[in-house]
Amino acid sequence: MGVVGEMATPALNAIPVKSSHTASQVIDGEAVILDIPGKTLRGLNSVGSRIWELVDGARTLNEIAQVVAREYGRADTEMQQDVVVFFGELAERRVVEFKADR
């Protein structure tokens, strides 16, 4: 299963993986992501950080959205839309890539 190049709008069945050229750490519940080649440091809020923690190369965007929706008491459909937009932005910044759909 190969990694698919960057996508403008990822599908809910896409499986995100953290780019190999990034390093990250969660500090006090907020993730800090370093794009090593670009020497860019990005911070995520608590929800974005939780989503980042769930990126394990096995879960789909839909599965991630369901976990976060339950944890934050939001509707699945609302969280699905937010997750798709969030991962589209992460892909544009090249901090995530996507495996081929399951």
Side-chain angles (χ1 to χ4, degrees):
M1 182 180 301
V3 174
V4 178
E6 102 183 57
M7 301 177 183
T9 304
L12 283 171
N13 61 347
I15 301 168
V17 293
K18 297 173 182 174
S19 294
S20 60
H21 66 268
T22 62
S24 64
Q25 186 168 1
V26 177
I27 303 167
D28 292 330
E30 294 193 5
V32 178
I33 305 167
L34 173 63
D35 173 8
I36 297 166
K39 298 179 182 172
T40 305
L41 192 63
R42 302 182 193 288
L44 301 177
N45 66 20
S46 61
V47 177
S49 296
R50 180 61 180 134
I51 292 169
W52 182 255
E53 289 176 321
L54 293 169
V55 176
D56 61 3
R59 290 183 180 99
T60 64
L61 296 188
N62 188 48
E63 292 167 334
I64 291 170
Q66 288 175 352
V67 169
V68 177
R70 267 193 318 271
E71 291 179 0
Y72 287 86
R74 301 214 9 230
D76 283 348
T77 54
E78 180 184 353
M79 186 55 72
Q80 287 168 341
Q81 292 170 350
D82 291 347
V83 163
V84 165
V85 169
F86 180 67
F87 277 102
E89 292 171 1
L90 292 178
E92 285 178 20
R93 290 173 174 84
R94 301 182 189 277
V95 296
V96 295
E97 299 167 339
F98 299 94
K99 287 184 180 182
D101 300 343
R102 291 194 230 177

